Amino acid sequence: MLFHVTMDVDIPRDLDPDVRADTIAREKAYSQDLQRQGKWPHIWRVVGKYSNVSVFDVESTDELHEILWNLPLFPYMTVQVTPLCPHPSSIR
């Protein structure tokens, strides 16, 4: 199942710098592991924002839910999820 996911991040400015750095490092490692597994095939930065547009390829909505909730930055995110399906005009 494919999902379009937009993640807007808003880390509090007063968050301890060491906690911030650790959280961002864990987020990067976790997301790169999911990319290597093929579960997160696309991630695109939104210019001018601390935001990304991603495509997830997972087995179920439950799997996507678990992935998102385990993102270290999840407590600081606003997430929008849109299920995707093939378009009838696609040549693929």
Side-chain angles (χ1 to χ4, degrees):
M1 300 177 76
L2 295 176
F3 294 90
H4 168 274
V5 179
T6 300
M7 296 176 238
D8 298 311
V9 181
D10 187 16
I11 300 173
R13 295 196 183 273
D14 62 350
L15 186 66
D16 179 277
D18 291 334
V19 172
R20 178 186 174 99
D22 177 66
T23 304
I24 291 171
R26 289 185 297 113
E27 178 85 10
K28 183 175 183 177
Y30 181 62
S31 70
Q32 288 180 345
D33 182 51
L34 290 165
Q35 290 172 64
R36 286 185 197 94
Q37 293 177 46
K39 294 178 184 294
W40 196 335
H42 296 279
I43 181 170
W44 298 93
R45 175 181 287 172
V46 177
V47 175
K49 297 173 81 176
Y50 195 164
S51 181
N52 75 71
V53 173
S54 296
V55 174
F56 286 84
D57 188 357
V58 294
E59 294 297 319
S60 67
T61 54
D62 289 334
E63 182 181 15
L64 179 61
H65 181 82
E66 286 300 313
I67 286 170
L68 295 175
W69 274 74
N70 284 301
L71 288 166
L73 285 172
F74 186 79
Y76 312 113
M77 288 183 180
T78 301
V79 179
Q80 294 180 335
V81 177
T82 305
L84 301 173
C85 63
H87 193 282
S89 296
S90 175
I91 62 170
R92 294 191 174 148

